[in-house]
Amino acid sequence: LWGSDRPPPRTTAEIGAGVSVPTVATGRASHSWWATIILLAVDATIFASFGFAHIHVSMALDVCPPPGASLPVGRLWPAGLLLAASGLMVWAQHCLGRKPQGQLRLAVLLAMVAAIGAIGLDLAMHLQDGLSPRADAWSATVAALVSWQGFHALVLLVMGSYVLARSWSGWLRPDARATLDNTALMFHGTVAQAIVGMALVRWLPTWMGG
């Protein structure tokens, strides 16, 4: 991918009869932006299947959580870190036109720390509370949801590091910004999934009167 997101030699190109068209497409006008949206849609369907399995298993129980299983004592406070990560990526996009890009790099780095930290803390809270995927089906579905977010933490680590590498190399510019914009979309999608997953696991037993 290193050679793909590069600034064009000119901002417009003549296509004939005196008609010129822009050579740079960003945001919703960009093919890569829509490709990322489609990726997130597919990603969301996988998450939804895990969520459906958890709801189905939970509703089949007489008591939720089942005997021997329990929920983390902590509330949804890791969601605050996730929202901060999403906001930091928005700030990074806002800082793209500034030189040097120190604020942009700091925002991306902090977004990575916040998102990965929140997902890691959620996993640690479940493990501390004795989550055992082999014990029962309910715990297995919880582990699937948490593991799915753990996978996304690794994805964000790779994508965020790639954005930083592009910035340090000087290839991240307002006219070559697909790397940053698409990474921001992935951050937003991951944050949304993680918050929904945390709420589903923690609040479903209350909704069911457990």
Side-chain angles (χ1 to χ4, degrees):
L1 292 175
W2 191 258
S4 60
D5 188 19
R6 292 176 179 263
R10 61 181 68 181
T11 58
T12 61
E14 186 174 346
I15 60 175
V19 177
S20 296
V21 296
T23 58
V24 179
T26 60
R28 296 182 181 181
S30 169
H31 290 132
S32 66
W33 191 90
W34 283 106
T36 306
I37 290 294
I38 294 173
L39 172 63
L40 289 174
V42 174
D43 192 59
T45 61
I46 300 173
F47 170 76
S49 69
F50 289 136
F52 176 81
H54 179 71
I55 294 172
H56 176 75
V57 170
S58 298
M59 294 184 68
L61 296 172
D62 294 328
V63 179
C64 184
S70 58
L71 292 170
V73 177
R75 296 290 182 178
L76 279 174
W77 62 266
L81 285 175
L82 290 167
L83 292 174
S86 189
L88 285 165
M89 289 305 298
V90 173
W91 176 248
Q93 291 175 292
H94 179 73
C95 295
L96 180 56
R98 301 180 183 180
K99 293 184 180 181
Q101 295 183 348
Q103 291 187 22
L104 183 151
R105 295 168 194 160
L106 179 61
V108 173
L109 182 60
L110 290 177
M112 293 167 60
V113 172
I116 296 172
I119 295 173
L121 285 172
D122 184 53
L123 173 61
M125 291 166 66
H126 279 287
L127 293 178
Q128 186 178 10
D129 209 54
L131 177 64
S132 178
R134 295 184 178 182
D136 52 77
W138 183 88
S139 298
T141 60
V142 172
L145 285 166
V146 175
S147 299
W148 183 243
Q149 298 312 318
F151 164 73
H152 282 72
L154 296 177
V155 172
L156 295 185
L157 176 62
V158 173
M159 295 184 71
S161 299
Y162 185 75
V163 169
L164 293 176
R166 296 287 293 186
S167 177
W168 278 317
S169 68
W171 287 113
L172 193 60
R173 298 171 27 172
D175 55 354
R177 57 178 298 155
T179 299
L180 177 60
D181 291 341
N182 297 341
T183 299
L185 284 175
M186 182 59 70
F187 265 83
H188 301 328
T190 298
V191 165
Q193 283 192 27
I195 291 177
V196 171
M198 291 177 188
L200 185 64
V201 171
R202 286 164 171 77
W203 289 348
L204 186 60
T206 301
W207 293 336
M208 294 175 59

